[in-house]
Amino acid sequence: MRLFLLTALTMLAFAANSVLNRWAVGPGHIGAMEFAVIRLVAGAAMLVALVLWQRRGLAWPGRKGRVAGVAGLSAYLIGFSLAYRGLDAGTGALVLFGTVQVTMFAGALVSGEVVPARRWAGAGLALGGLAIIAAPGAAGLLPLALMACAGLGWGVYSLAGRGAVDPLAATAWNFLLSVPLVVPLGLLAGVATPDATGVALALVSGAVTSGLGYALWYAVLPRLGAARAAVAQLTVPVIAALGGALLLAEMPDLRFWLAAVLVLGGVALASLPYRGLPSR
């Protein structure tokens, strides 16, 4: 029961990032780049504090995957914030989640992994769901493209971080090293004065739902295993959609639920082990 509650809390934190970002940027409480910068700095501060508290030091985790990790994290943070100027919370989370899974599937192909037929089928379903979201009459193409870039960035970040000896410390370093990359881009984009609500939402997203959320995820992930972790993450777009409906009055339409069935069903097909077959 404790593991279930901790996992549910983590998924709530992940979904909350979408709701908080949309809540702050959509109505104009804060600019998208300003939100990304505050979220990054607050997340970096929280993660560094956690590592220093747990490890009594911030050891350098090595250079392997560091450039790709920092670039991927920066692309995710910027694309994520910019996309929520035009996407509702649930649609953004669904596009992000689907693109991440497709990116990691492509990474498996590039690295030469043997990909079973069910993973091909799952990736195809997920792509079909993303196509429904991007069909004419849906959200504007620019916000969708920005969220797809965010998903690509997070997928690259995840691939770069596989096999990290200390994932929490590696994430803290990635956040720290992204600061000198993202902050100047935010300044170049122009700084608009946010209101108190926008700053508060960005701080909560960075320090709590990102920093503490990632730390909690690393704590429960080894106990979940790959298959259960994949299933748990299927709930994130749905939770984000419900949060958007309750807090922002953004009611998901039939297009969203049809796309969600395809995307989440495809990810489940690709992720879950079949009886009698080894888990991959």
Side-chain angles (χ1 to χ4, degrees):
M1 178 59 72
R2 183 171 182 269
L3 179 60
F4 171 81
L5 292 175
L6 290 175
T7 302
L9 183 60
T10 307
M11 296 306 104
L12 283 171
F14 288 173
N17 277 323
S18 291
V19 177
L20 292 170
N21 203 147
R22 175 62 176 166
W23 191 352
V25 173
H29 292 297
I30 189 173
M33 289 301 299
E34 289 84 351
F35 186 96
V37 168
I38 294 174
R39 179 188 177 192
L40 172 62
V41 173
M46 178 60 73
L47 287 165
V48 169
L50 284 171
V51 173
L52 291 175
W53 175 57
Q54 292 182 2
R55 314 286 197 273
R56 306 301 180 188
L58 188 62
W60 174 247
R63 296 176 59 185
K64 184 179 179 181
R66 198 61 48 219
V67 173
V70 170
L73 177 62
S74 300
Y76 156 72
L77 289 167
I78 294 171
F80 189 85
S81 289
L82 290 173
Y84 272 124
R85 294 183 301 181
L87 294 178
D88 60 62
T91 299
L94 185 62
V95 173
L96 176 75
F97 185 82
T99 307
V100 168
Q101 298 305 314
V102 171
T103 300
M104 297 192 71
F105 175 79
L109 292 179
V110 171
S111 64
E113 291 184 25
V114 177
V115 180
R118 62 190 175 86
R119 289 192 66 188
W120 281 101
L125 284 175
L127 280 172
L130 294 177
I132 289 176
I133 288 292
L141 289 180
L142 180 58
L144 291 171
L146 289 167
M147 189 58 80
C149 288
L152 177 63
W154 190 258
V156 169
Y157 174 78
S158 300
L159 290 168
R162 290 188 301 180
V165 177
D166 189 341
L168 183 59
T171 300
W173 273 108
N174 284 331
F175 266 70
L176 274 176
L177 294 174
S178 295
V179 169
L181 181 62
V182 173
V183 170
L185 290 175
L187 294 175
L188 286 174
V191 178
T193 303
D195 61 26
T197 299
V199 173
L201 292 171
L203 287 172
V204 172
S205 178
V208 181
T209 57
S210 293
L212 292 179
Y214 297 161
L216 185 57
W217 181 236
Y218 294 140
V220 302
L221 189 57
R223 298 165 60 189
L224 283 176
R228 285 197 293 174
V231 173
Q233 292 180 85
L234 296 180
T235 63
V236 173
V238 177
I239 296 172
L242 295 175
L246 291 173
L247 297 174
L248 309 176
E250 296 177 343
M251 299 302 297
D253 57 12
L254 181 60
R255 183 196 296 266
F256 169 84
W257 292 115
L258 179 58
V261 168
L262 290 175
V263 171
L264 305 184
V267 173
L269 179 64
S271 303
L272 293 179
Y274 281 22
R275 183 173 298 177
L277 294 175
S279 176
R280 294 180 183 269

